[in-house]
Amino acid sequence: MHKLFFLLILFLAGTTGLCASEPPATEVRAVWLTTNYGLDWPRNRTSVETQKKELTGILDSLKRYNFNTVIFQVRGRGEVLYRSRIEPMSTLIASAGPGQPLFDPLAFAVEECHKRGMECHAWIVTYPLGNDRHVRSLGARSIVKKNPSLVKQFQQEWYLDPGNPRTDDYLLSIVKEIISGYEVDGIHFDYIRYPDNRGRFPDDGMYRQYGKGKTRDEWRRDNITRFVTKVYDEVKALKPWVQVSSAPLGRYRALGGNGVGWTALETVSQDAGKWMMMGKHDAIYPMMYYKEGLFYPFVDDWLVHSNGRIVVPGLGAYQMIELGWSHRDILNQLEYTRTKGAHGKAYFRAENVLSNTKGILAELGKYYRYPAKQPAMTWLSDSIPNSPHDLRAQWNEEGVFLILPILCTV
């Protein structure tokens, strides 16, 4: 009896230790907060106040579980969620009413994230523009209507043409509008790729004009890399502290016979490993929504190509619904990426985590017991700031404890 009891204690100690180990002090804990179709937000379109309450509720929940990064979708397919001179506001955003200022979702999201000590990264869908019906719904402000020379239709969907150098200028104008007007912590690109290299994207004319002896695959990869280089340099010239990142396909390249058929490099002209090796990305959030042999070796491959940059594997929380994964599948991936020295995790998408799908949120609470710092972008600056001094501490009128500089008067 005593021997059995002793073995039971050892077993319990071993199993609880898996989750009880100290979490890293520095770690990205992110969610993609999807606004396309109102998947995560906004669910209700009745009023601005209702939409604000919905969003603060999401952020409160993320803060409660020590998440520190919100990747907030600010551009869908040719429409935006901020005050733009370039593209129309999403029809999902409620009207503020007669005589009231237009609700600015990005400004509100940035302010509310920062109140909670979380970073807010502006998530941009890069090249896709939607189908005919969606384009018509945007009216004369759609780029398809304003400047049809920049777009192509492929498999009943419209896309900005990556092969046209003037497309870079259009996208850069959107990025500069966001960077200049908002205190975002990052610019994050999604769909920064061709739709599918196995199809016949209609770029024959551009290829004849600009191909210059390259194979079509080489030329297409270079087109995306050209834009990545321009946008990185532009962001760093304006606000060097703003992180530039993207969400490439989860498998960078085929590894031997593994992963063939759907990779960033070979299938959609997305040479994301090169972007890091060139120093034109601060972070990569690959969409690694696979299991086992289609996950673990590809994490290692991203880390090989990181060049010291931040690697944050994207975990497919939604697959617990779509493919019947268990929460243990997600937790195994979390544990592996920690062991391998990845810089954190991002979850697609917010609702699949916050609704506690198959108990995932409760389990993540064990791994995220304490807050975590953001990884430093040491390639921008490796100097350590001076220690703070001349500070005072006080409670404000709202009962918040503040640390403030001592102001000298003459």
Side-chain angles (χ1 to χ4, degrees):
M1 180 69 181
H2 291 293
K3 182 178 180 181
L4 180 62
F5 179 78
F6 179 71
L7 289 174
L8 178 62
I9 293 296
L10 284 179
F11 171 77
L12 292 174
T15 55
T16 57
L18 290 175
C19 293
S21 59
E22 287 298 307
T26 300
E27 183 176 51
V28 175
R29 300 169 183 172
V31 295
W32 280 283
L33 203 160
T34 309
T35 59
N36 223 25
Y37 311 114
L39 288 175
D40 288 323
W41 180 87
R43 297 290 185 85
N44 191 306
R45 307 178 200 177
T46 57
S47 72
V48 169
E49 288 307 311
T50 299
Q51 292 188 339
K52 287 181 175 180
K53 185 176 180 180
E54 277 185 6
L55 186 54
T56 55
I58 291 170
L59 299 182
D60 284 342
S61 295
L62 292 171
K63 176 62 176 176
R64 188 176 308 119
Y65 283 87
N66 290 320
F67 283 84
N68 58 19
T69 305
V70 175
I71 306 172
F72 182 71
Q73 189 174 24
V74 300
R75 183 179 191 253
R77 283 151 172 77
E79 58 183 348
V80 297
L81 282 90
Y82 67 94
R83 294 181 187 174
S84 173
R85 301 181 305 277
I86 302 167
E87 294 191 321
M89 178 71 82
S90 169
T91 55
L92 295 173
I93 299 306
S95 171
Q100 298 297 315
L102 182 69
F103 175 40
D104 190 329
L106 178 55
F108 183 74
V110 169
E111 180 181 7
E112 294 299 319
C113 283
H114 289 174
K115 281 181 182 178
R116 293 161 177 79
M118 296 188 291
E119 290 195 355
C120 184
H121 295 216
W123 164 13
I124 295 172
V125 172
T126 312
Y127 294 112
L129 297 169
N131 58 24
D132 278 324
R133 181 180 178 183
H134 176 69
V135 166
R136 285 195 301 270
S137 75
L138 301 182
R141 292 193 69 190
S142 166
I143 186 61
V144 177
K145 301 293 185 184
K146 289 193 301 182
N147 199 337
S149 67
L150 297 185
V151 303
K152 300 289 186 185
Q153 193 172 29
F154 175 66
Q155 296 180 346
Q156 300 182 327
E157 298 281 329
W158 289 96
Y159 295 85
L160 287 166
D161 182 3
N164 189 335
R166 293 191 298 117
T167 294
D168 296 355
D169 299 331
Y170 180 72
L171 289 169
L172 281 170
S173 69
I174 292 171
V175 171
K176 287 191 284 188
E177 188 174 56
I178 295 170
I179 291 290
S180 300
Y182 301 87
E183 292 304 317
V184 295
D185 302 287
I187 291 287
H188 179 77
F189 294 98
D190 188 16
Y191 284 96
I192 187 168
R193 56 180 171 88
Y194 280 81
D196 188 340
N197 239 357
R198 296 171 296 185
R200 292 291 299 166
F201 188 78
D203 55 5
D204 288 348
M206 286 294 167
Y207 178 53
R208 285 193 298 269
Q209 185 173 354
Y210 296 108
K212 298 180 180 177
K214 300 176 183 177
T215 68
R216 183 137 0 197
D217 287 347
E218 290 171 338
W219 174 70
R220 285 177 173 173
R221 286 195 293 268
D222 288 349
N223 291 335
I224 306 295
T225 298
R226 180 194 65 228
F227 170 65
V228 166
T229 301
K230 287 181 182 178
V231 77
Y232 188 85
D233 292 344
E234 190 72 42
V235 169
K236 296 307 173 185
L238 289 170
K239 292 182 178 178
W241 57 88
V242 171
Q243 184 186 102
V244 176
S245 68
S246 65
L249 298 191
R251 304 195 291 268
Y252 171 41
R253 55 181 182 158
L255 300 176
N258 193 11
V260 173
W262 188 242
T263 68
L265 184 65
E266 291 103 353
T267 315
V268 295
S269 307
Q270 196 176 43
D271 201 350
K274 182 177 180 178
W275 306 340
M276 291 191 289
M277 299 302 290
M278 292 170 57
K280 298 302 178 183
H281 252 45
D282 298 311
I284 208 86
Y285 292 71
M287 301 180 291
M288 307 195 70
Y289 309 149
Y290 315 99
K291 289 200 301 183
E292 308 303 337
L294 293 180
F295 180 85
Y296 298 111
F298 294 94
V299 171
D300 299 345
D301 196 40
W302 284 117
L303 292 168
V304 166
H305 290 89
S306 69
N307 190 27
R309 268 51 179 177
I310 296 166
V311 176
V312 183
L315 307 188
Y318 75 101
Q319 297 288 35
M320 290 186 289
I321 296 172
E322 294 203 4
L323 294 181
W325 290 13
S326 71
H327 72 262
R328 189 68 248 173
D329 292 317
I330 301 294
L331 299 178
N332 286 344
Q333 294 179 349
L334 183 158
E335 291 170 0
Y336 183 84
T337 55
R338 274 187 176 177
T339 301
K340 288 292 182 172
H343 298 85
K345 271 66 60 183
Y347 299 87
F348 186 82
R349 51 183 175 83
E351 171 66 17
N352 299 119
V353 173
L354 294 181
S355 63
N356 199 28
T357 304
K358 296 188 176 179
I360 187 64
L361 185 60
E363 291 298 320
L364 288 178
K366 301 173 186 176
Y367 290 88
Y368 298 161
R369 297 192 304 279
Y370 310 114
K373 299 179 293 183
Q374 295 284 350
M377 294 188 285
T378 54
W379 50 94
L380 301 180
S381 173
D382 60 359
S383 60
I384 300 174
N386 294 328
S387 300
H389 59 91
D390 295 336
L391 300 177
R392 60 189 173 91
Q394 68 177 50
W395 296 95
N396 67 8
E397 295 177 354
E398 299 174 349
V400 177
F401 190 71
L402 302 175
I403 298 177
L404 303 168
I406 295 175
L407 300 179
C408 299
T409 57
V410 178

